Amino acid sequence: MMNARTEAGDLLPRFSYSKSGPAGTGDKMRTAMRASQWMRALTLIAATVTPLSAHGQSTIGFDGRWTVNLSTDPTKPYEKQMEIKLGSDGSVSGSFYDSRILAGRWKNDRGRTCVSFRTTDGAGPYYTSACLRDGGVEGQTWAEHRSFLFNWNAKRAE
């Protein structure tokens, strides 16, 4: 008869076995239970590692230099550089529109990776949010002190 119990601090349950039944049943049962314990351990490891891997993979797509298209007229290009560095703790650093990113956060959720950060021009704060999409970045910047909200796109800098 199998008696499963776990104790605090144990990663794997402990089992006791009975050799009742046909000859060899206990050995087969022990082998099956060991396999079951290993599967539980691997599942626990996978559940722990997968979120970290997903978090880590998302930084590969966003980190680096971007050329931001800020033009309001397609015939008059106006581009500025953005540099993004995503921290493993969820922080964002770098620069946007020639200003250092003062604070920011990033998250990979709902199938996309997005950032939100704050910069300043010295007169007031600029709040920017952006998400990766189809190899580029779609974003918007709000400056309350200048009464504007601006939508923009960015492509990987060459």
Side-chain angles (χ1 to χ4, degrees):
M1 172 159 264
M2 182 176 66
N3 179 15
R5 66 182 177 90
T6 58
E7 294 179 11
D10 285 354
L11 289 177
L12 298 174
R14 297 171 188 234
F15 294 93
S16 60
Y17 307 94
S18 171
K19 284 196 174 192
S20 61
T25 302
D27 291 336
K28 289 179 184 175
M29 186 177 227
R30 271 191 290 279
T31 300
M33 292 312 298
R34 282 189 193 115
S36 174
Q37 288 174 332
W38 279 109
M39 289 305 292
R40 286 188 184 132
L42 291 174
T43 300
L44 177 65
I45 291 167
T48 303
V49 173
T50 300
L52 295 175
S53 296
H55 205 65
Q57 288 172 1
S58 65
T59 65
I60 295 168
F62 225 125
D63 278 352
R65 294 185 59 224
W66 297 88
T67 301
V68 181
N69 179 355
L70 298 163
S71 61
T72 56
D73 180 348
T75 63
K76 298 177 184 173
Y78 181 59
E79 297 177 334
K80 286 291 195 175
Q81 296 300 304
M82 173 174 68
E83 177 105 23
I84 297 291
K85 173 74 173 126
L86 304 183
S88 61
D89 61 350
S91 63
V92 177
S93 60
S95 63
F96 178 74
Y97 200 88
D98 302 323
S99 296
R100 183 175 62 89
I101 293 173
L102 301 173
R105 302 294 299 168
W106 72 274
K107 186 171 185 173
N108 185 16
D109 190 27
R110 300 174 193 245
R112 62 187 185 159
T113 302
C114 299
V115 298
S116 187
F117 56 82
R118 178 173 42 88
T119 58
T120 185
D121 63 357
Y126 285 73
Y127 299 98
T128 299
S129 295
C131 296
L132 283 176
R133 182 166 181 178
D134 299 327
V137 177
E138 292 181 348
Q140 64 180 21
T141 300
W142 174 48
E144 184 176 17
H145 66 289
R146 298 206 184 272
S147 298
F148 81 83
L149 176 68
F150 194 82
N151 295 328
W152 50 265
N153 296 314
K155 61 184 179 183
R156 182 74 60 189
E158 297 175 5

